[in-house]
Amino acid sequence: MNDVPEPAVLRYSAFTTDPAGGNPAGVVLDATGLDDAGMLRIAAAVGYSETAFLFPRAEGREFDVRYFSPLVEVPFCGHATVASAVALDVTGTVRFHTRSGLVEVDAAPGRASLTSVPTSSAPAPAGDVAEALRALRWSAEDLDPRYPAHWAFGGARHLVLAVRTRERLADLDYDFDALAGLLRANDAVTAQLVHQRSEDVFDARDPFPVGGVVEDPATGAAAAAFGGYLRTLGLVGRPRSITIHQGVDLGRPSLLEVAVSPDDPRVTVTGAAVPIPVG
């Protein structure tokens, strides 16, 4: 442990305007002096799916950012990025230098839009899909044939699986260790499980066993990856905006707005964030 004062940890919920909704994130606005062990210890004590640690650069509104779950560091986290930008209480562009690359954030009071690193997506091998289905206790017939299984990247890697019915998505009872093993073996952080509600509206659930978390109520990195996935499938012939509802089945409803363009591999994810009352 470093001999530095314990930093203040702010607590925000992202992709919601209600502290009882969204995905909680810890935010350390100045983590100068903390080492990896210190950040992991703080993230474990906070207990949220991620805590963001900001290291201010000499240039104004420029930060190196690290993201830790209670178990591991992850290369990028969207909900903690939105929470951090709102916690900074600035208006305009903020630049976050993450392990995955530069993420620019357009910040405003109570709201932020992050523009991801370039996204990518590729079909998941049949063996990975079969292993995922076993872990999820689903069958191949549960999957929506319009949306093939992919490994998708939007700052972190995610397994995208789409199901035919909302009922199948709602009934989630998976093998924690088996899914964690598959995700780790593929350098991925969550499974992005989706159902198309209407043309531009999707419901999503994101198991996060790699981080020691059963499920994320909102996953901005997976939303960015999903935007890139749609682009790879040729479903973004013009600038497209989609809405993702997540966290509903956990009682923490979240709203993620995703903007994708056919001529830009980056994806913009927008959402609100609010402080979580302490005590």
Side-chain angles (χ1 to χ4, degrees):
M1 186 185 304
N2 290 344
D3 293 326
V4 297
E6 193 77 358
V9 181
L10 305 179
R11 290 165 170 79
Y12 277 72
S13 199
F15 297 111
T16 182
T17 57
D18 180 356
N23 197 0
V27 178
V28 176
L29 292 180
D30 189 348
T32 303
L34 283 177
D35 61 10
D36 290 9
M39 287 185 280
L40 184 59
R41 173 182 54 79
I42 291 170
V46 171
Y48 295 154
S49 58
E50 272 97 8
T51 294
F53 296 86
L54 278 59
F55 296 82
R57 291 190 173 190
E59 308 90 345
R61 299 193 183 184
E62 299 256 352
F63 300 86
D64 293 302
V65 187
R66 306 274 298 275
Y67 306 92
F68 282 81
S69 79
L71 290 184
V72 296
E73 182 177 11
V74 298
F76 176 65
C77 171
H79 84 276
T81 294
V82 168
S84 297
V86 171
L88 285 168
D89 194 24
V90 298
T91 298
T93 300
V94 182
R95 292 162 62 89
F96 285 175
H97 300 268
T98 76
R99 278 178 47 195
S100 295
L102 175 64
V103 174
E104 291 191 337
V105 187
D106 184 15
R111 191 170 179 83
S113 297
L114 68 88
T115 299
S116 74
V117 299
T119 60
S120 60
S121 186
D128 290 348
V129 177
E131 190 173 343
L133 290 175
R134 284 193 297 271
L136 292 165
R137 303 187 176 100
W138 290 357
S139 71
E141 289 70 32
D142 289 319
L143 299 181
D144 187 335
R146 299 173 300 169
Y147 295 99
H150 270 219
W151 289 108
F153 176 82
R157 206 164 185 233
H158 308 265
L159 176 63
V160 178
L161 293 174
V163 293
R164 294 175 184 267
T165 69
R166 182 66 179 88
E167 291 74 20
R168 175 72 280 179
L169 189 66
D171 185 17
L172 182 61
D173 176 22
Y174 71 95
D175 184 325
F176 189 92
D177 292 334
L179 186 59
L182 173 64
L183 295 173
R184 287 194 192 99
N186 287 276
D187 195 28
V189 293
T190 80
Q192 169 85 331
L193 312 176
V194 300
H195 170 257
Q196 187 172 24
R197 184 189 297 190
S198 60
E199 182 178 2
D200 291 320
V201 180
F202 291 81
D203 293 287
R205 302 188 71 172
D206 276 72
F208 183 31
V210 170
V213 177
V214 173
E215 184 178 350
D216 256 352
T219 317
F226 185 66
Y229 163 83
L230 294 175
R231 184 176 181 273
T232 296
L233 292 184
L235 300 176
V236 185
R238 54 178 173 74
R240 183 178 179 186
S241 296
I242 66 170
T243 299
I244 297 176
H245 294 271
Q246 195 178 332
V248 175
D249 300 286
L250 297 175
R252 297 193 66 94
S254 308
L255 189 66
L256 300 88
E257 299 169 15
V258 181
V260 196
S261 174
D263 55 4
D264 189 343
R266 301 174 302 168
V267 173
T268 298
V269 180
T270 300
V274 290
I276 298 173
V278 178

